[in-house]
């Protein structure tokens, strides 16, 4: 099991927009470079990309909640 | 003035600025803050502070119910909204008025009217203020477009009547171009918005952004001359000046007089700014919008006129008559402000919400830093990236630019990436020195690689 970490502090979102579906659901494949979420930092949205491949397990941060740099956002089975 | 307890419904550097003005007037200050702003400077400086909700702005600084409730619970008799957030929300102003609290700004009705682009344009026209000439309404036939263009003059901009966001905008230099471009624009508008209706207006070439500062007491309005804010990136002002050296005296008087006439026609109360596009080639200016609040760049006006605009807006909104007569306002020298953002200018301006490890502030006559930093302060990532504004005042524009260069050299903000290197490069740039720029100047300048670690 590996974790995907937030590159920056900010607010985490697991969807590209409030109406959209989440980027990943448990069981989805994860490839290197896949976007798994967004971090809003100072009104700018930064895509969080996977740096490993495997199978998506779960988000471990709530949607729309503050995160710190380096905080674990999701778990991936590698 | 009947204000004793002022509630500050904002954060960052403007909250600090408002606290200083209120203290000078002997008013008790109550600072609102979110859970993400517990450590901010304004909370430390204010007489009292109250938490209004979670870090997320929609749950705190933009939450009308939470802000109004906090103002009532802290027995505030006035609310200063600063800029951004709820400062131009008629719903907020109305809720404050309804709670029997003084809003430091115009009435909710005036905010609503000037915030509506069409209504503001009508108000400007009624007061004799020039607006960008264009079609009265939607245009469906090419011949109609040609008639309008002949009236407003080429080049013209062809826009989709429905929608916005720049989609389908084309510029025609003459009738032939208009006849070939209008059908394309109509087709694209139909595809994008399901409506092929067009809108034609005069295209302002290489526009400069010029704005006029006014303050009204509900009966009388005065102006504090103009500012030029043409150096912009992504429609955000980067570098601002007072005055606009590109204007001759006759144009300046006309512009300032028109601004007073417009503000007066709506019985304006508080500080406001009228924004214009200025076309240097023809010497024409066109009203674009009015901001019904204090602006980020107000300090350059304070530097050249010597008046405290934030104190004055609190006084007039507190029921006093203007304390200043127009004849007393004289413009002395030239002032420049640069916006300091926590962004990395060498990495596409990526936000950089770091911790201020150490801070060295340039000193000297005519140098001012409006900010909310202190050593050890962690800049929160939840709000915009503005961390401060460096302002200088010189006897003329040339001296102001060299003073800015020296002040930037004397400024040290360690622990974060900031836009200081951008301003150092601009202060050295011959194009900036010549003053020959417009609102479309800075982005191509950046794209051309003019900003590098070597020239900062």
């Amino acid at each position: 099991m590996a974790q995907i970490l937030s590159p920056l502090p900010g607010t985490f979102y697991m969807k590209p927009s409030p109406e959209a579906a989440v980027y990943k659901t448990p069981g989805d494949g994860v490839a290197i470079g896949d976007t798994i979420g967004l971090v809003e930092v100072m009104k700018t949205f930064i895509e969080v990309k996977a740096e490993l491949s495997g199978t998506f397990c779960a988000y471990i941060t709530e949607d729309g909640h503050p995160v710190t740099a380096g905080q674990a956002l999701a778990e991936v089975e590698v | 003035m009947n204000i004793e307890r002022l509630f500050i419904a904002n954060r960052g550097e403007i909250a600090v600025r408002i606290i200083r003005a209120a203290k000078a007037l002997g008013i008790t200050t109550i600072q609102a803050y979110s859970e993400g702003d517990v450590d901010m400077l304004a909370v430390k400086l204010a007489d009292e502070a109250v938490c209004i909700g979670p870090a997320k702005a929609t749950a705190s600084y933009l939450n009308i119910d939470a802000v109004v409730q906090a103002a009532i619970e802290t027995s505030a008799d006035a609310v200063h909204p600063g800029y951004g957030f709820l400062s131009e929300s008629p719903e907020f102003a109305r809720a404050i008025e309804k709670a029997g609290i003084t809003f430091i700004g115009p009435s909710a009705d005036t905010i609503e009217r000037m915030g509506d682009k069409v209504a503001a344009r009508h108000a400007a026209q009624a007061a004799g203020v020039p607006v960008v000439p264009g079609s009265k309404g939607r245009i469906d036939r090419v011949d109609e477009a040609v008639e309008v263009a002949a009236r407003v003059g080429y080049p013209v901009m062809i826009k989709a009547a429905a929608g916005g966001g720049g989609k389908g905008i084309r510029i025609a230099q003459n009738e032939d171009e208009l006849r070939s471009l209008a059908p394309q624009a109509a087709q694209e508008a139909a595809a994008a918005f399901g409506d092929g209706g067009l809108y034609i207006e005069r295209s302002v070439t290489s526009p400069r952004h010029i704005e006029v500062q006014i303050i009204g007491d509900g009966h009388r309005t005065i102006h504090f001359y103009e500012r030029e804010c043409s150096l912009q990136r992504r429609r955000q002002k980067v570098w601002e000046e007072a005055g606009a050296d590109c204007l001759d005296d006759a144009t300046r008087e006309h512009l300032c007089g028109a601004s007073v006439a417009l503000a007066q026609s709506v019985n304006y109360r508080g500080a406001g700014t009228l924004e214009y596009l200025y076309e240097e080639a023809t010497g024409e200016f066109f009203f674009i919008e009015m901001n019904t609040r204090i602006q980020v760049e107000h300090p350059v006006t304070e530097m050249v006129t010597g008046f405290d605009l934030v104190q004055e807006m609190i006084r007039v909104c507190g029921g006093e008559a203007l304390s200043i007569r127009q004849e007393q306002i004289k413009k002395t020298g030239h002032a420049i402000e640069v916006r300091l953002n926590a962004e990395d200018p060498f990495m596409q301006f990526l936000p950089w919400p770091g911790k201020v490890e150490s801070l060295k502030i340039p000193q000297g006559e005519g140098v001012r830093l409006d900010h909310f930093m202190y050593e050890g302060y962690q800049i929160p990532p939840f709000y915009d990236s503005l961390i401060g504004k460096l302002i200088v005042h010189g006897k003329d524009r040339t001296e102001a630019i060299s003073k800015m260069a020296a002040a930037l050299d004397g400024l040290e903000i360690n622990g974060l990436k900031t836009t200081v290197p951008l301003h150092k490069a601009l202060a050295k740039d011959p194009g900036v020195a010549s003053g020959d720029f417009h609102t479309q100047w800075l982005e191509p300048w950046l794209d051309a690689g003019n900003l590098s670690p070597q020239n900062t």
Side-chain angles (χ1 to χ4, degrees):
Chain A
M1 188 80 74
Q3 293 180 327
I4 295 175
L5 311 180
S6 179
L8 285 159
T11 306
F12 177 68
Y13 298 96
M14 52 182 80
K15 303 184 269 191
S17 67
E19 303 77 32
V22 294
Y23 281 102
K24 295 284 179 190
T25 48
D28 282 355
V30 176
I32 292 172
D34 278 5
T35 300
I36 66 105
L38 297 173
V39 173
E40 181 186 4
V41 50
M42 295 179 151
K43 295 182 165 179
T44 300
F45 289 86
I46 310 282
E47 290 187 335
V48 181
K49 296 198 189 283
E51 290 173 352
L52 42 82
S53 57
T55 305
F56 191 80
C57 299
Y59 286 109
I60 48 179
T61 300
E62 280 182 73
D63 189 51
H65 277 232
V67 293
T68 55
Q71 184 175 331
L73 303 174
E75 283 181 339
V76 174
E77 186 76 58
V78 290
Chain B
M1 185 180 45
N2 48 22
I3 296 174
E4 286 172 12
R5 293 175 58 78
L6 179 66
F7 184 94
I8 297 139
N10 213 300
R11 61 175 305 281
E13 67 87 20
I14 196 62
V16 173
R17 173 72 189 87
I18 296 164
I19 289 172
R20 294 200 199 286
K23 290 205 165 177
L25 293 169
I27 299 170
T28 300
T29 50
I30 309 153
Q31 177 62 51
Y33 67 94
S34 75
E35 286 165 12
D37 267 340
V38 175
D39 299 326
M40 77 172 168
L41 187 58
V43 169
K44 298 179 194 292
L45 295 177
D47 298 302
E48 299 168 29
V50 55
C51 184
I52 53 166
K56 208 171 164 45
T58 48
S60 49
Y61 301 106
L62 288 169
N63 182 340
I64 293 178
D65 290 343
V67 176
V68 174
Q69 199 53 42
I72 293 170
E73 279 167 12
T74 53
S75 309
D77 50 22
V79 169
H80 198 307
Y83 52 65
F85 295 124
L86 295 171
S87 62
E88 290 179 286
S89 160
E91 294 77 23
F92 179 60
R94 206 160 274 137
I96 292 293
E97 286 167 14
K98 225 178 130 197
I101 298 172
T102 300
F103 181 74
I104 307 297
S107 69
D109 290 347
T110 302
I111 296 174
E112 197 152 52
R113 183 170 174 197
M114 299 318 279
D116 178 301
K117 285 227 186 261
V118 177
R121 187 179 157 100
H122 285 158
Q125 283 174 303
V129 179
V131 296
V132 181
S135 49
K136 295 264 187 304
R138 59 177 284 139
I139 283 181
D140 291 297
R141 292 179 303 108
V142 175
D143 285 341
E144 226 180 317
V146 170
E147 276 167 40
V148 171
R151 180 167 57 77
V152 304
Y154 287 93
V156 293
M157 206 180 263
I158 312 162
K159 294 178 174 179
K167 196 135 184 109
I169 288 186
R170 284 173 169 75
I171 291 173
Q173 300 293 338
N174 51 49
E175 189 180 326
D176 285 349
E177 283 187 18
L178 180 58
R179 285 192 183 277
S180 75
L181 292 175
Q184 292 175 22
Q187 215 170 24
E188 195 175 302
F193 309 113
D195 176 358
L198 298 178
Y199 179 83
I200 305 279
E201 70 178 24
R202 165 78 178 281
S203 168
V204 183
T205 313
S206 303
R208 286 176 181 264
H209 176 109
I210 310 267
E211 56 186 37
V212 176
Q213 176 71 56
I214 58 102
I215 297 187
D217 62 9
H219 306 285
R220 193 163 64 87
T221 303
I222 52 176
H223 72 80
F224 294 76
Y225 292 98
E226 82 288 356
R227 297 185 283 263
E228 170 159 13
C229 318
S230 298
L231 295 183
Q232 304 184 3
R233 180 179 168 273
R234 297 196 174 164
R235 297 176 148 268
Q236 294 292 310
K237 296 165 186 168
V238 164
W239 163 300
E240 299 121 334
E241 307 190 20
D245 278 13
C246 59
L247 299 181
D248 59 37
D249 286 343
T251 308
R252 177 174 293 113
E253 288 306 317
H254 184 194
L255 185 71
C256 294
S259 303
V260 168
L262 175 49
Q264 191 90 54
S265 75
V266 297
N267 297 319
Y268 197 80
R269 182 188 65 217
T273 298
L274 296 103
E275 298 194 327
Y276 299 88
L277 293 178
Y278 177 64
E279 189 175 58
E280 207 170 6
T282 58
E284 286 180 275
F285 59 85
F286 306 103
F287 171 78
I288 39 176
E289 62 176 20
M290 180 170 191
N291 295 322
T292 53
R293 53 170 165 84
I294 194 73
Q295 282 190 277
V296 176
E297 60 272 26
H298 76 277
V300 285
T301 300
E302 296 185 322
M303 294 297 250
V304 296
T305 61
F307 290 102
D308 188 310
L309 300 175
V310 181
Q311 284 187 32
E312 190 66 14
M313 77 187 285
I314 294 172
R315 278 197 212 99
V316 294
C317 294
E320 279 186 20
L322 277 166
S323 71
I324 309 160
R325 280 176 293 112
Q326 187 67 62
E327 317 75 90
Q328 290 175 288
I329 303 170
K330 300 270 183 275
K331 202 155 64 84
T332 310
H334 196 91
I336 301 174
E337 169 184 289
V338 296
R339 295 196 189 190
L340 307 174
N341 294 341
E343 296 169 2
D344 184 353
F346 301 114
M347 282 281 286
Q348 290 89 47
F349 294 85
L350 186 74
W352 193 275
K355 184 189 257 191
V356 181
E357 302 294 353
S358 67
L359 182 63
K360 196 176 132 212
I361 296 174
Q363 305 292 328
E365 206 204 322
V367 178
R368 164 175 167 183
L369 184 71
D370 279 21
H371 70 101
F372 65 113
M373 293 175 280
Y374 55 84
E375 290 182 0
Y377 179 55
Q378 171 65 50
I379 311 276
F382 310 110
Y383 312 104
D384 72 36
S385 59
L386 186 76
I387 51 169
K389 307 166 331 198
L390 180 61
I391 308 113
V392 298
H393 184 208
K395 69 176 190 319
D396 55 25
R397 186 167 186 272
T398 308
E399 191 188 275
I401 292 175
S402 58
K403 227 172 180 171
M404 178 56 79
L408 286 164
D409 284 339
L411 174 65
E412 276 178 35
I413 306 167
N414 293 311
L416 354 160
K417 301 274 188 193
T418 74
T419 48
V420 166
L422 167 67
H423 298 306
K424 285 184 173 175
L426 289 172
K428 269 184 218 172
D429 188 81
V432 172
S434 73
D436 186 15
F437 46 62
H438 48 80
T439 56
Q440 309 304 315
W441 184 90
L442 182 58
E443 288 184 20
W445 182 90
L446 286 165
D447 292 343
N450 283 293
L451 178 63
S452 67
Q454 291 77 46
N455 68 355
T456 61

